[in-house]
Amino acid sequence: MNLLDNLNPAQKEAVISNDQYIRIIAGAGSGKTRVLITRIAYLVQERNVYPSKILAITFTNKAANEMKERIKNILGDPSGAVWISTIHSLCVRILREDIQSMGMPRNFTVMDQDDQKTILKEAYKEHGIDKSAISFGSMLDYIGNNKGAEITVDRAYVLAGSFSGEKSKAKVYEYYCNRQKELYALDFDDLLLVTVKMFKMFPEVRAKWARRFSHIHVDEFQDIDKVQYELISQLAGTENNVCVVGDPDQTIYTWRGADVNIIMNFEKDYKPCKTVVLNENYRSTENILNGANSVIRRNKNRIEKDLYTNRSNDDKISHYISAGEEYEASWIANKIAEGHKLGKKYRDFAILYRSNYLSRAIEKGLLDEHIPYIIYGGVKFYERAEIKDALCYLRMVSGSDDLALQRVINKPKRGLGNKTMDTIFERSREKGCSMYEVIRDEELFSGKVQETISKFVTMVERWKTVASTKAVFELLEMVIDESGYRRMLEDEKETERLENLKELINDVQSFTINYPESTLDEYLQLVSLYGDKEESLDGDFVQLMTVHAAKGLEFDTVFVCGLSDGIFPNERAMAEGNRGVEEERRLAYVAFTRARNKLYLTESSGFSYILSKARVRSRFIDEIEEDYVEHLGATFDYGKPKDFVVSPNSPTNKPMPQMIPKSTEPAARWRKGEQVIHGKFGDGIVLKYENGFLEIAFPYPHGVKKIMATHPSIKKKTA
């Protein structure tokens, strides 16, 4: 079979072009990997280019391995000579051969993140720096930024001036650099920086490597940063052929250095440059594609291209509006359950969100419907460290068990070492009581250690005293504030972990509203049901992930949830103005184009604890042309849900109502004395309806409950 048989005209043009400089603008799902592989095979088979003269740079090991496998299927054994690797792996190969020119041995050590943290621990110990004062993450960012800006240790001290915190960072930077020299070690940043520096210092080394190749290919070119671009330029020289493949509309990593202007300006840096646009999409249906196009077209800094597809159907993008996060999650779970009953695999479904904290409500909705799921590239909400820490603090109020005490007594750091904890543990074994009872009732230590423990006990005892007078979410806020836990995360600039904590408070607040007479113990028991689920290993899961993690993937059916301004687009990006919103719009474009056959966009009304205000629909939904989208769900003013009719047919055994648009006929209102049925509490009688909430009397032991009138677990009892 001819190499070019299965290519469309634009793909064929990209493959056979003999121009020295080629920029391939490859839209989502347009077959860019096929084009890149076919081009390499074409150079070998038709242009008689030696395989060893071809370099293909990718940005993940997975992509590199996939490319190697596919080229091997075409070329056979000669494919092994083609240089296919990540840019970091390429640098390692270059440095192993020539780093001696920089005074380093060829058997240098490549440090991973754990190695870096080990050095930081040594430095912190030597200089008496507390990790709670400067987190490892922020310190590694500081080191990486200094190296990237060519700021020496001496210069770092000058820039630190008289600021003690900055001086501490400079000391750690000095220790880190000296330790690297002692160990003959390079971190991941160094691999590129040292290679670029070596090529600058020794032109003959650069020229040698430039001669190794005649054709350089770079995949995902929209995601490269300035250092990577400089390295590619050094290897390209003036003689080599350069082919770059990417999509400016999918530049979503500017926060880690990617610069969309690099691909935009490539034709200015490499003249004359041929640009080929791949705009036939083989992945998505027409309505999905047109909807995504109508959104991304709003961006100004892009190369004009409208993706088209021959995959036509009448199924529009579905936009679903719910009255709250829990309803949004329930609706998504019901749709998946419905699809599964019709024969779809769970792995055909993906749920995408802008930030990790948004998985909380979705996970609950799936667990309630017994739908297996995995978090792709992430950790389940209730298994995240900060959530476990906060819940263990609540357990200190509730039962003060040993596991909770051991987890939180040094979070944030209180200077209690292993020896102290061992002493407390042994004493508790002697007395046959809990470790907390030991430190509450006895003074085992003296000086600062005893003072610290006494303060901790006093704090916990105060929480126990007020627990019965406060709602659980109010207690949680008090605990994370007074314990210093929130301040610790703020000082470490752990924005995502702080968002997760806010979402936990939101979760507790929803629980308090729905079950106003419930206790702290009942909440902790409920959470344990969600947090301790054993994962099935049969391989069929719904996949949950951030949009960033979804880049490069595709699914039959995609739900993009949490589409509110401030959430998606992200509030911080919106504060940056047009530049930030354009990046978020590219992210939305990536999210929408992950779907092959069906795309759902969901949002919820009501107050957002994260935003500290009522949610407003994402502008990205409004930017979709009406021909390509259908609007479903409750009709409401934001923050004030209106009545809606409930579908009597639910796709699951559980009575989970589905919200549909309100009819023109007046909906029946709740009346005092009306009989209802609740999914958990059973039959009840309405005592009062006020501001969207019902007071309902249920049989013993439940008593009177205050519940949202729109809650999916409650409905009117029919005769």
Side-chain angles (χ1 to χ4, degrees), residues 468-515:
S468 61
T469 64
K470 289 187 175 292
V472 181
F473 77 91
E474 293 174 322
L475 179 65
L476 176 57
E477 284 198 273
M478 174 188 285
V479 164
I480 61 176
D481 281 335
E482 293 186 359
S483 66
Y485 196 85
R486 192 200 302 267
R487 177 65 181 272
M488 176 188 76
L489 295 184
E490 288 172 345
D491 289 346
E492 294 177 4
K493 295 181 172 56
E494 294 280 4
T495 306
E496 185 171 316
R497 295 177 68 191
L498 283 165
E499 286 180 340
N500 286 337
L501 271 189
K502 287 181 180 178
E503 185 60 21
L504 180 65
I505 295 170
N506 186 44
D507 180 40
V508 178
Q509 194 168 29
S510 297
F511 173 80
T512 303
I513 291 171
N514 291 329
Y515 306 103

Side-chain angles (χ1 to χ4, degrees), residues 359-369 382 507 526 530:
S359 77
R360 190 270 309 170
I362 298 297
E363 289 183 64
K364 274 191 169 182
L366 295 175
L367 287 167
D368 285 344
E369 292 296 336
Y382 291 107
D507 180 40
L526 177 70
Y530 292 110

Side-chain angles (χ1 to χ4, degrees), residues 258-500:
D259 185 352
V260 68
N261 292 311
I262 291 174
I263 190 170
M264 295 291 290
N265 296 331
F266 182 80
E267 62 180 357
K268 297 176 184 176
D269 296 341
Y270 290 85
K271 297 179 181 178
C273 172
K274 177 171 187 160
T275 294
V276 180
V277 178
L278 306 182
N279 59 359
E280 181 174 357
N281 177 285
Y282 293 92
R283 178 187 300 153
S284 305
T285 61
E286 191 172 26
N287 282 325
I288 293 172
L289 209 53
N290 288 339
N293 284 340
S294 61
V295 172
I296 198 62
R297 203 177 292 126
R298 303 289 184 114
N299 274 8
K300 298 289 188 290
N301 191 21
R302 64 185 295 263
I303 294 171
E304 187 62 38
K305 70 171 189 328
D306 269 347
L307 288 182
Y308 72 92
T309 182
N310 292 316
R311 298 191 62 230
S312 180
N313 69 19
D314 296 327
D315 206 357
K316 293 185 176 183
I317 298 169
S318 295
H319 164 226
Y320 175 73
I321 311 168
S322 72
E325 288 176 295
E326 282 72 24
Y327 309 109
E328 182 182 5
S330 295
W331 188 84
I332 291 172
N334 285 338
K335 280 292 177 186
I336 292 172
E338 189 177 63
H340 190 255
K341 283 190 173 183
L342 293 174
K344 286 189 177 181
K345 301 288 187 184
Y346 285 126
R347 62 176 172 267
D348 291 333
F349 298 93
I351 305 173
L352 311 184
Y353 35 77
R354 176 61 181 84
S355 300
N356 278 310
Y357 72 85
L358 292 165
S359 77
R360 190 270 309 170
I362 298 297
E363 289 183 64
K364 274 191 169 182
L366 295 175
L367 287 167
D368 285 344
E369 292 296 336
H370 309 292
I371 294 173
Y373 71 91
I374 57 171
I375 305 283
Y376 182 92
V379 181
K380 291 184 177 181
F381 183 80
Y382 291 107
E383 293 174 4
R384 292 167 192 162
E386 60 276 12
I387 301 304
K388 286 189 170 184
D389 291 343
L391 292 174
C392 279
Y393 265 116
L394 286 182
R395 280 164 54 184
M396 289 305 302
V397 181
S398 174
S400 305
D401 61 274
D402 287 359
L403 294 177
L405 176 74
Q406 289 171 312
R407 185 174 183 97
V408 301
I409 196 167
N410 259 328
K411 290 183 181 177
K413 291 286 186 184
R414 296 188 173 92
L416 304 177
N418 292 335
K419 188 175 179 181
T420 300
M421 298 308 297
D422 289 343
T423 302
I424 297 169
F425 177 74
E426 291 301 329
R427 181 60 177 154
S428 72
R429 296 291 294 271
E430 289 174 13
K431 290 187 66 178
C433 63
S434 72
M435 293 172 69
Y436 180 74
E437 287 172 320
V438 168
I439 62 174
R440 183 194 63 193
D441 299 338
E442 298 185 29
E443 292 192 3
L444 297 178
F445 309 97
S446 59
K448 188 176 180 181
V449 171
Q450 184 57 52
E451 183 183 343
T452 299
I453 291 173
S454 297
K455 282 182 180 178
F456 180 81
V457 170
T458 300
M459 182 171 62
V460 173
E461 289 300 305
R462 184 171 66 256
W463 296 336
K464 288 175 179 283
T465 301
V466 302
S468 61
T469 64
K470 289 187 175 292
V472 181
F473 77 91
E474 293 174 322
L475 179 65
L476 176 57
E477 284 198 273
M478 174 188 285
V479 164
I480 61 176
D481 281 335
E482 293 186 359
S483 66
Y485 196 85
R486 192 200 302 267
R487 177 65 181 272
M488 176 188 76
L489 295 184
E490 288 172 345
D491 289 346
E492 294 177 4
K493 295 181 172 56
E494 294 280 4
T495 306
E496 185 171 316
R497 295 177 68 191
L498 283 165
E499 286 180 340
N500 286 337

Side-chain angles (χ1 to χ4, degrees), residues 321-323 603-606 615 617 633-642:
I321 311 168
S322 72
E603 58 159 318
S604 56
S605 174
R615 297 180 186 87
R617 180 167 63 246
T635 57
F636 59 84
D637 294 328
Y638 279 96
K640 296 180 180 179
K642 296 179 182 177

Side-chain angles (χ1 to χ4, degrees), residues 224-277:
I224 70 167
D225 60 31
K226 289 180 172 63
V227 176
Q228 293 164 346
Y229 188 47
E230 186 173 4
L231 176 64
I232 291 162
S233 299
Q234 289 172 329
L235 291 172
T238 58
E239 302 297 323
N240 287 335
N241 293 266
V242 182
C243 173
V244 301
V245 185
D247 182 5
D249 289 340
Q250 296 187 70
T251 302
I252 61 173
Y253 293 114
T254 59
W255 49 275
R256 67 183 190 196
D259 185 352
V260 68
N261 292 311
I262 291 174
I263 190 170
M264 295 291 290
N265 296 331
F266 182 80
E267 62 180 357
K268 297 176 184 176
D269 296 341
Y270 290 85
K271 297 179 181 178
C273 172
K274 177 171 187 160
T275 294
V276 180
V277 178

